[in-house]
Amino acid sequence: MKRSEFSFKHINSAILCLIIVAGLTTSCSKAPEIIVQEMQMVLPDGQSVFKEELLPGEIADTKIEHYAFVGPIVKNFQFSNENVDMLVFIKGDAQLKADTLVFNIVPESIAIPLACKNVQLEVPDGEVLHFVRFRKKLSEQDLLDMAAFPAGNKYDVFFTKFEDCEPYTEKIKSPNTVSRTVLPADIIPRVSLGTVEAPGPDEVGAHEHGMLDQLFLGLSDNDIVVHADGASAELKAYSLLHIPLGSAHGVTVGEGKKMYYLWMDFFLTKEGQKWLKTHKPVAKDKKDY
C-alpha cells in the first residue's frame, strides 16, 4: 500500500470514530422527559360527579384517578383485598364512614381503608370535594409482608391530616423547609408519603434514588420548578408529576412563591426502603386509630 493511501484511510477512520463518539455523547446527554399532568379542577356545567385518569402507565401496577363530587351527594366505594387504595383529599370538606368509624374529611388529609373495605363519602350541600385515588396492586409478597407487620402498624382505616404528621429533616433541604412524613414505612408495603413546604426563594438539592419511582403532587398554592438531568418542568397546585426514574433531580422555588407538594415513593424492592433513613425525625408522636 502506498503511504498516501494508508494516511487517507486512517484519516477517514478517525473521522468516523469522532462521528460515532459524538453521536453516543449526544444520546447519553439527552435530558429525560418530565411527565406532568394538571387536574381539571373546574367541573363541566351541570355535572355533579367527575373522574379523570392521571399519568396512565407511569407507575407499575398503580392506577391514579382524580375524583370530584358536588354536594349534596353520598357515594359508596367497595375495595378489594388484592389492592390498596390511598385517598388523598386536596380540596373541599366531607365525611367518611367505614363500618363504625367516622372521619371528618378536610383538605390535605389522607384515608387508606385497610381492614374496612366498604367506605361511604358524604359531601354536604355547597361543597365540592376533590381527591386523588391511588390504587396499587399488591403482590403475593406484599400480602405476606402486611400480615407480618407489627400490630401497631395495622389499621382499620389509616387516616391523618398532613398538618398533624411527624416532621423530619434532610441534608438536601434548607432549615426553612418543613417536611412531614404522611405515610411511614411498613404500613403499606413499599410505599411511603410525605410533604415538603417552604417559602421562596429556596430549593431542594439535587439527589438520586434509583431504587424507587416517585411522584410529586402539587398542593395548595404550590408553584415550583422541578429539575431532572438537565430537564425542567413547572409544577403548579393540583398537578401530578413523575420524576424520571434514576435521574438526579431537585426543586427550586422563586421569590414570593411557595413550595408545597406531596411526594409519593413507590419502592421497587423492600430493601430500597432503607432510603428513608436519610429522613431524620424531629419528634415522634405516632397516631393510632
Side-chain angles (χ1 to χ4, degrees), residues 228-260:
D229 288 345
S232 297
E234 291 186 345
L235 180 66
K236 304 288 188 179
Y238 312 127
S239 297
L240 190 64
L241 179 146
H242 184 197
I243 298 294
L245 181 63
S247 64
H249 61 280
V251 174
T252 55
V253 58
E255 179 76 41
K257 297 182 178 181
K258 183 179 180 181
M259 177 193 303
Y260 189 31

PDB file of all heavy atoms in Angstrom, residues 228-260:
ATOM      1  N   ALA A 228     -34.457  17.716  36.453  1.00  0.00           N
ATOM      2  CA  ALA A 228     -34.005  16.322  36.399  1.00  0.00           C
ATOM      3  C   ALA A 228     -33.052  16.139  35.227  1.00  0.00           C
ATOM      4  O   ALA A 228     -33.468  16.232  34.066  1.00  0.00           O
ATOM      5  CB  ALA A 228     -35.193  15.374  36.269  1.00  0.00           C
ATOM      6  N   ASP A 229     -31.780  15.924  35.532  1.00  0.00           N
ATOM      7  CA  ASP A 229     -30.767  15.653  34.494  1.00  0.00           C
ATOM      8  C   ASP A 229     -30.826  16.630  33.325  1.00  0.00           C
ATOM      9  O   ASP A 229     -30.815  16.228  32.153  1.00  0.00           O
ATOM     10  CB  ASP A 229     -30.928  14.221  33.964  1.00  0.00           C
ATOM     11  CG  ASP A 229     -30.466  13.173  34.974  1.00  0.00           C
ATOM     12  OD1 ASP A 229     -29.782  13.542  35.942  1.00  0.00           O
ATOM     13  OD2 ASP A 229     -30.805  11.989  34.781  1.00  0.00           O
ATOM     14  N   GLY A 230     -30.913  17.906  33.621  1.00  0.00           N
ATOM     15  CA  GLY A 230     -30.905  18.917  32.563  1.00  0.00           C
ATOM     16  C   GLY A 230     -32.263  19.333  32.063  1.00  0.00           C
ATOM     17  O   GLY A 230     -32.388  20.336  31.364  1.00  0.00           O
ATOM     18  N   ALA A 231     -33.298  18.574  32.396  1.00  0.00           N
ATOM     19  CA  ALA A 231     -34.666  18.943  32.018  1.00  0.00           C
ATOM     20  C   ALA A 231     -35.318  19.703  33.172  1.00  0.00           C
ATOM     21  O   ALA A 231     -34.938  19.555  34.331  1.00  0.00           O
ATOM     22  CB  ALA A 231     -35.484  17.708  31.688  1.00  0.00           C
ATOM     23  N   SER A 232     -36.317  20.525  32.852  1.00  0.00           N
ATOM     24  CA  SER A 232     -37.051  21.283  33.861  1.00  0.00           C
ATOM     25  C   SER A 232     -38.531  21.301  33.509  1.00  0.00           C
ATOM     26  O   SER A 232     -38.902  21.271  32.328  1.00  0.00           O
ATOM     27  CB  SER A 232     -36.535  22.727  33.957  1.00  0.00           C
ATOM     28  OG  SER A 232     -35.193  22.763  34.375  1.00  0.00           O
ATOM     29  N   ALA A 233     -39.370  21.342  34.551  1.00  0.00           N
ATOM     30  CA  ALA A 233     -40.817  21.416  34.344  1.00  0.00           C
ATOM     31  C   ALA A 233     -41.449  22.145  35.511  1.00  0.00           C
ATOM     32  O   ALA A 233     -41.046  21.958  36.666  1.00  0.00           O
ATOM     33  CB  ALA A 233     -41.417  20.021  34.206  1.00  0.00           C
ATOM     34  N   GLU A 234     -42.429  22.989  35.207  1.00  0.00           N
ATOM     35  CA  GLU A 234     -43.176  23.668  36.261  1.00  0.00           C
ATOM     36  C   GLU A 234     -44.187  22.709  36.881  1.00  0.00           C
ATOM     37  O   GLU A 234     -44.795  21.897  36.182  1.00  0.00           O
ATOM     38  CB  GLU A 234     -43.906  24.884  35.695  1.00  0.00           C
ATOM     39  CG  GLU A 234     -43.000  26.022  35.267  1.00  0.00           C
ATOM     40  CD  GLU A 234     -43.787  27.247  34.843  1.00  0.00           C
ATOM     41  OE1 GLU A 234     -45.020  27.108  34.614  1.00  0.00           O
ATOM     42  OE2 GLU A 234     -43.196  28.332  34.737  1.00  0.00           O
ATOM     43  N   LEU A 235     -44.337  22.811  38.206  1.00  0.00           N
ATOM     44  CA  LEU A 235     -45.367  22.044  38.900  1.00  0.00           C
ATOM     45  C   LEU A 235     -46.208  23.027  39.697  1.00  0.00           C
ATOM     46  O   LEU A 235     -45.734  23.638  40.650  1.00  0.00           O
ATOM     47  CB  LEU A 235     -44.754  20.994  39.836  1.00  0.00           C
ATOM     48  CG  LEU A 235     -45.778  20.158  40.608  1.00  0.00           C
ATOM     49  CD1 LEU A 235     -46.588  19.279  39.655  1.00  0.00           C
ATOM     50  CD2 LEU A 235     -45.098  19.304  41.676  1.00  0.00           C
ATOM     51  N   LYS A 236     -47.457  23.186  39.265  1.00  0.00           N
ATOM     52  CA  LYS A 236     -48.388  24.088  39.930  1.00  0.00           C
ATOM     53  C   LYS A 236     -49.247  23.314  40.930  1.00  0.00           C
ATOM     54  O   LYS A 236     -49.165  22.091  41.035  1.00  0.00           O
ATOM     55  CB  LYS A 236     -49.294  24.758  38.886  1.00  0.00           C
ATOM     56  CG  LYS A 236     -48.555  25.508  37.799  1.00  0.00           C
ATOM     57  CD  LYS A 236     -47.937  26.791  38.299  1.00  0.00           C
ATOM     58  CE  LYS A 236     -47.363  27.611  37.140  1.00  0.00           C
ATOM     59  NZ  LYS A 236     -46.780  28.895  37.605  1.00  0.00           N
ATOM     60  N   ALA A 237     -50.096  24.040  41.639  1.00  0.00           N
ATOM     61  CA  ALA A 237     -51.048  23.400  42.540  1.00  0.00           C
ATOM     62  C   ALA A 237     -51.981  22.488  41.754  1.00  0.00           C
ATOM     63  O   ALA A 237     -52.359  22.796  40.619  1.00  0.00           O
ATOM     64  CB  ALA A 237     -51.855  24.461  43.287  1.00  0.00           C
ATOM     65  N   TYR A 238     -52.320  21.340  42.365  1.00  0.00           N
ATOM     66  CA  TYR A 238     -53.271  20.382  41.792  1.00  0.00           C
ATOM     67  C   TYR A 238     -52.789  19.843  40.441  1.00  0.00           C
ATOM     68  O   TYR A 238     -53.538  19.730  39.485  1.00  0.00           O
ATOM     69  CB  TYR A 238     -54.664  20.996  41.689  1.00  0.00           C
ATOM     70  CG  TYR A 238     -55.092  21.678  42.965  1.00  0.00           C
ATOM     71  CD1 TYR A 238     -55.532  22.990  42.973  1.00  0.00           C
ATOM     72  CD2 TYR A 238     -55.008  21.002  44.181  1.00  0.00           C
ATOM     73  CE1 TYR A 238     -55.901  23.611  44.170  1.00  0.00           C
ATOM     74  CE2 TYR A 238     -55.359  21.619  45.374  1.00  0.00           C
ATOM     75  CZ  TYR A 238     -55.805  22.928  45.360  1.00  0.00           C
ATOM     76  OH  TYR A 238     -56.157  23.549  46.537  1.00  0.00           O
ATOM     77  N   SER A 239     -51.494  19.532  40.404  1.00  0.00           N
ATOM     78  CA  SER A 239     -50.887  18.857  39.258  1.00  0.00           C
ATOM     79  C   SER A 239     -50.070  17.691  39.784  1.00  0.00           C
ATOM     80  O   SER A 239     -49.616  17.700  40.925  1.00  0.00           O
ATOM     81  CB  SER A 239     -49.986  19.809  38.465  1.00  0.00           C
ATOM     82  OG  SER A 239     -50.730  20.877  37.903  1.00  0.00           O
ATOM     83  N   LEU A 240     -49.867  16.686  38.928  1.00  0.00           N
ATOM     84  CA  LEU A 240     -49.140  15.487  39.323  1.00  0.00           C
ATOM     85  C   LEU A 240     -47.957  15.301  38.380  1.00  0.00           C
ATOM     86  O   LEU A 240     -48.110  15.392  37.158  1.00  0.00           O
ATOM     87  CB  LEU A 240     -50.062  14.270  39.263  1.00  0.00           C
ATOM     88  CG  LEU A 240     -49.542  12.966  39.871  1.00  0.00           C
ATOM     89  CD1 LEU A 240     -49.318  13.106  41.377  1.00  0.00           C
ATOM     90  CD2 LEU A 240     -50.533  11.815  39.601  1.00  0.00           C
ATOM     91  N   LEU A 241     -46.786  15.024  38.957  1.00  0.00           N
ATOM     92  CA  LEU A 241     -45.546  14.938  38.185  1.00  0.00           C
ATOM     93  C   LEU A 241     -44.816  13.646  38.528  1.00  0.00           C
ATOM     94  O   LEU A 241     -44.769  13.224  39.683  1.00  0.00           O
ATOM     95  CB  LEU A 241     -44.658  16.152  38.490  1.00  0.00           C
ATOM     96  CG  LEU A 241     -43.303  16.263  37.806  1.00  0.00           C
ATOM     97  CD1 LEU A 241     -42.969  17.744  37.538  1.00  0.00           C
ATOM     98  CD2 LEU A 241     -42.184  15.630  38.645  1.00  0.00           C
ATOM     99  N   HIS A 242     -44.232  13.021  37.499  1.00  0.00           N
ATOM    100  CA  HIS A 242     -43.446  11.796  37.672  1.00  0.00           C
ATOM    101  C   HIS A 242     -41.970  12.123  37.504  1.00  0.00           C
ATOM    102  O   HIS A 242     -41.540  12.587  36.447  1.00  0.00           O
ATOM    103  CB  HIS A 242     -43.876  10.738  36.645  1.00  0.00           C
ATOM    104  CG  HIS A 242     -43.180   9.427  36.814  1.00  0.00           C
ATOM    105  ND1 HIS A 242     -43.160   8.470  35.824  1.00  0.00           N
ATOM    106  CD2 HIS A 242     -42.480   8.898  37.856  1.00  0.00           C
ATOM    107  CE1 HIS A 242     -42.482   7.413  36.246  1.00  0.00           C
ATOM    108  NE2 HIS A 242     -42.058   7.652  37.473  1.00  0.00           N
ATOM    109  N   ILE A 243     -41.183  11.872  38.559  1.00  0.00           N
ATOM    110  CA  ILE A 243     -39.742  12.063  38.484  1.00  0.00           C
ATOM    111  C   ILE A 243     -39.147  10.958  37.607  1.00  0.00           C
ATOM    112  O   ILE A 243     -39.402   9.774  37.854  1.00  0.00           O
ATOM    113  CB  ILE A 243     -39.100  12.005  39.887  1.00  0.00           C
ATOM    114  CG1 ILE A 243     -39.639  13.129  40.789  1.00  0.00           C
ATOM    115  CG2 ILE A 243     -37.583  12.080  39.793  1.00  0.00           C
ATOM    116  CD1 ILE A 243     -39.260  14.517  40.363  1.00  0.00           C
ATOM    117  N   PRO A 244     -38.364  11.304  36.579  1.00  0.00           N
ATOM    118  CA  PRO A 244     -37.741  10.248  35.758  1.00  0.00           C
ATOM    119  C   PRO A 244     -36.910   9.306  36.631  1.00  0.00           C
ATOM    120  O   PRO A 244     -36.077   9.759  37.427  1.00  0.00           O
ATOM    121  CB  PRO A 244     -36.864  11.044  34.779  1.00  0.00           C
ATOM    122  CG  PRO A 244     -37.507  12.399  34.705  1.00  0.00           C
ATOM    123  CD  PRO A 244     -38.048  12.652  36.078  1.00  0.00           C
ATOM    124  N   LEU A 245     -37.138   8.031  36.522  1.00  0.00           N
ATOM    125  CA  LEU A 245     -36.510   7.028  37.372  1.00  0.00           C
ATOM    126  C   LEU A 245     -34.985   7.103  37.275  1.00  0.00           C
ATOM    127  O   LEU A 245     -34.412   7.081  36.198  1.00  0.00           O
ATOM    128  CB  LEU A 245     -36.986   5.634  36.963  1.00  0.00           C
ATOM    129  CG  LEU A 245     -36.432   4.458  37.775  1.00  0.00           C
ATOM    130  CD1 LEU A 245     -36.865   4.563  39.233  1.00  0.00           C
ATOM    131  CD2 LEU A 245     -36.889   3.140  37.183  1.00  0.00           C
ATOM    132  N   GLY A 246     -34.339   7.218  38.435  1.00  0.00           N
ATOM    133  CA  GLY A 246     -32.886   7.221  38.499  1.00  0.00           C
ATOM    134  C   GLY A 246     -32.231   8.542  38.169  1.00  0.00           C
ATOM    135  O   GLY A 246     -30.993   8.646  38.175  1.00  0.00           O
ATOM    136  N   SER A 247     -33.010   9.583  37.881  1.00  0.00           N
ATOM    137  CA  SER A 247     -32.439  10.876  37.494  1.00  0.00           C
ATOM    138  C   SER A 247     -31.932  11.636  38.713  1.00  0.00           C
ATOM    139  O   SER A 247     -32.393  11.449  39.838  1.00  0.00           O
ATOM    140  CB  SER A 247     -33.484  11.725  36.770  1.00  0.00           C
ATOM    141  OG  SER A 247     -34.560  12.044  37.649  1.00  0.00           O
ATOM    142  N   ALA A 248     -30.961  12.520  38.477  1.00  0.00           N
ATOM    143  CA  ALA A 248     -30.528  13.471  39.502  1.00  0.00           C
ATOM    144  C   ALA A 248     -31.511  14.636  39.455  1.00  0.00           C
ATOM    145  O   ALA A 248     -31.545  15.384  38.482  1.00  0.00           O
ATOM    146  CB  ALA A 248     -29.106  13.942  39.231  1.00  0.00           C
ATOM    147  N   HIS A 249     -32.325  14.775  40.481  1.00  0.00           N
ATOM    148  CA  HIS A 249     -33.406  15.752  40.437  1.00  0.00           C
ATOM    149  C   HIS A 249     -33.432  16.628  41.686  1.00  0.00           C
ATOM    150  O   HIS A 249     -32.916  16.262  42.740  1.00  0.00           O
ATOM    151  CB  HIS A 249     -34.761  15.045  40.278  1.00  0.00           C
ATOM    152  CG  HIS A 249     -35.069  14.114  41.409  1.00  0.00           C
ATOM    153  ND1 HIS A 249     -34.539  12.846  41.487  1.00  0.00           N
ATOM    154  CD2 HIS A 249     -35.831  14.255  42.522  1.00  0.00           C
ATOM    155  CE1 HIS A 249     -34.965  12.251  42.587  1.00  0.00           C
ATOM    156  NE2 HIS A 249     -35.754  13.085  43.237  1.00  0.00           N
ATOM    157  N   GLY A 250     -34.028  17.794  41.529  1.00  0.00           N
ATOM    158  CA  GLY A 250     -34.170  18.745  42.627  1.00  0.00           C
ATOM    159  C   GLY A 250     -35.299  19.705  42.330  1.00  0.00           C
ATOM    160  O   GLY A 250     -35.967  19.603  41.303  1.00  0.00           O
ATOM    161  N   VAL A 251     -35.492  20.658  43.240  1.00  0.00           N
ATOM    162  CA  VAL A 251     -36.619  21.595  43.133  1.00  0.00           C
ATOM    163  C   VAL A 251     -36.134  23.002  43.471  1.00  0.00           C
ATOM    164  O   VAL A 251     -35.293  23.180  44.357  1.00  0.00           O
ATOM    165  CB  VAL A 251     -37.748  21.200  44.125  1.00  0.00           C
ATOM    166  CG1 VAL A 251     -38.854  22.253  44.130  1.00  0.00           C
ATOM    167  CG2 VAL A 251     -38.318  19.838  43.774  1.00  0.00           C
ATOM    168  N   THR A 252     -36.658  23.988  42.745  1.00  0.00           N
ATOM    169  CA  THR A 252     -36.422  25.391  43.101  1.00  0.00           C
ATOM    170  C   THR A 252     -37.768  26.116  43.197  1.00  0.00           C
ATOM    171  O   THR A 252     -38.720  25.767  42.493  1.00  0.00           O
ATOM    172  CB  THR A 252     -35.538  26.103  42.059  1.00  0.00           C
ATOM    173  OG1 THR A 252     -36.120  25.962  40.753  1.00  0.00           O
ATOM    174  CG2 THR A 252     -34.138  25.524  42.042  1.00  0.00           C
ATOM    175  N   VAL A 253     -37.809  27.108  44.084  1.00  0.00           N
ATOM    176  CA  VAL A 253     -38.994  27.955  44.223  1.00  0.00           C
ATOM    177  C   VAL A 253     -38.525  29.396  44.280  1.00  0.00           C
ATOM    178  O   VAL A 253     -37.552  29.726  44.966  1.00  0.00           O
ATOM    179  CB  VAL A 253     -39.824  27.569  45.471  1.00  0.00           C
ATOM    180  CG1 VAL A 253     -39.008  27.664  46.745  1.00  0.00           C
ATOM    181  CG2 VAL A 253     -41.084  28.411  45.574  1.00  0.00           C
ATOM    182  N   GLY A 254     -39.185  30.268  43.526  1.00  0.00           N
ATOM    183  CA  GLY A 254     -38.752  31.647  43.398  1.00  0.00           C
ATOM    184  C   GLY A 254     -39.257  32.559  44.513  1.00  0.00           C
ATOM    185  O   GLY A 254     -40.106  32.191  45.328  1.00  0.00           O
ATOM    186  N   GLU A 255     -38.738  33.764  44.505  1.00  0.00           N
ATOM    187  CA  GLU A 255     -39.139  34.792  45.462  1.00  0.00           C
ATOM    188  C   GLU A 255     -40.643  35.053  45.359  1.00  0.00           C
ATOM    189  O   GLU A 255     -41.195  35.187  44.267  1.00  0.00           O
ATOM    190  CB  GLU A 255     -38.375  36.086  45.167  1.00  0.00           C
ATOM    191  CG  GLU A 255     -38.714  37.240  46.079  1.00  0.00           C
ATOM    192  CD  GLU A 255     -38.081  37.090  47.452  1.00  0.00           C
ATOM    193  OE1 GLU A 255     -36.908  36.672  47.516  1.00  0.00           O
ATOM    194  OE2 GLU A 255     -38.767  37.405  48.450  1.00  0.00           O
ATOM    195  N   GLY A 256     -41.307  35.099  46.522  1.00  0.00           N
ATOM    196  CA  GLY A 256     -42.738  35.375  46.548  1.00  0.00           C
ATOM    197  C   GLY A 256     -43.611  34.190  46.190  1.00  0.00           C
ATOM    198  O   GLY A 256     -44.844  34.314  46.155  1.00  0.00           O
ATOM    199  N   LYS A 257     -43.001  33.042  45.930  1.00  0.00           N
ATOM    200  CA  LYS A 257     -43.769  31.841  45.599  1.00  0.00           C
ATOM    201  C   LYS A 257     -43.660  30.821  46.730  1.00  0.00           C
ATOM    202  O   LYS A 257     -42.909  31.016  47.693  1.00  0.00           O
ATOM    203  CB  LYS A 257     -43.290  31.242  44.272  1.00  0.00           C
ATOM    204  CG  LYS A 257     -43.511  32.170  43.088  1.00  0.00           C
ATOM    205  CD  LYS A 257     -43.073  31.528  41.781  1.00  0.00           C
ATOM    206  CE  LYS A 257     -43.338  32.451  40.605  1.00  0.00           C
ATOM    207  NZ  LYS A 257     -42.936  31.845  39.297  1.00  0.00           N
ATOM    208  N   LYS A 258     -44.399  29.718  46.599  1.00  0.00           N
ATOM    209  CA  LYS A 258     -44.454  28.720  47.665  1.00  0.00           C
ATOM    210  C   LYS A 258     -44.137  27.324  47.130  1.00  0.00           C
ATOM    211  O   LYS A 258     -44.577  26.960  46.047  1.00  0.00           O
ATOM    212  CB  LYS A 258     -45.847  28.725  48.302  1.00  0.00           C
ATOM    213  CG  LYS A 258     -46.006  27.773  49.483  1.00  0.00           C
ATOM    214  CD  LYS A 258     -47.410  27.864  50.070  1.00  0.00           C
ATOM    215  CE  LYS A 258     -47.592  26.921  51.245  1.00  0.00           C
ATOM    216  NZ  LYS A 258     -48.967  26.999  51.810  1.00  0.00           N
ATOM    217  N   MET A 259     -43.369  26.597  47.924  1.00  0.00           N
ATOM    218  CA  MET A 259     -43.124  25.180  47.677  1.00  0.00           C
ATOM    219  C   MET A 259     -44.013  24.386  48.633  1.00  0.00           C
ATOM    220  O   MET A 259     -43.925  24.538  49.845  1.00  0.00           O
ATOM    221  CB  MET A 259     -41.647  24.842  47.934  1.00  0.00           C
ATOM    222  CG  MET A 259     -41.289  23.377  47.771  1.00  0.00           C
ATOM    223  SD  MET A 259     -39.636  22.975  48.448  1.00  0.00           S
ATOM    224  CE  MET A 259     -38.597  24.099  47.516  1.00  0.00           C
ATOM    225  N   TYR A 260     -44.893  23.575  48.092  1.00  0.00           N
ATOM    226  CA  TYR A 260     -45.758  22.760  48.937  1.00  0.00           C
ATOM    227  C   TYR A 260     -46.281  21.586  48.118  1.00  0.00           C
ATOM    228  O   TYR A 260     -47.234  21.724  47.356  1.00  0.00           O
ATOM    229  CB  TYR A 260     -46.913  23.592  49.491  1.00  0.00           C
ATOM    230  CG  TYR A 260     -47.732  22.870  50.547  1.00  0.00           C
ATOM    231  CD1 TYR A 260     -47.161  21.934  51.400  1.00  0.00           C
ATOM    232  CD2 TYR A 260     -49.086  23.135  50.677  1.00  0.00           C
ATOM    233  CE1 TYR A 260     -47.917  21.284  52.365  1.00  0.00           C
ATOM    234  CE2 TYR A 260     -49.852  22.495  51.649  1.00  0.00           C
ATOM    235  CZ  TYR A 260     -49.254  21.570  52.480  1.00  0.00           C
ATOM    236  OH  TYR A 260     -50.005  20.916  53.438  1.00  0.00           O
TER     237      TYR A 260
END
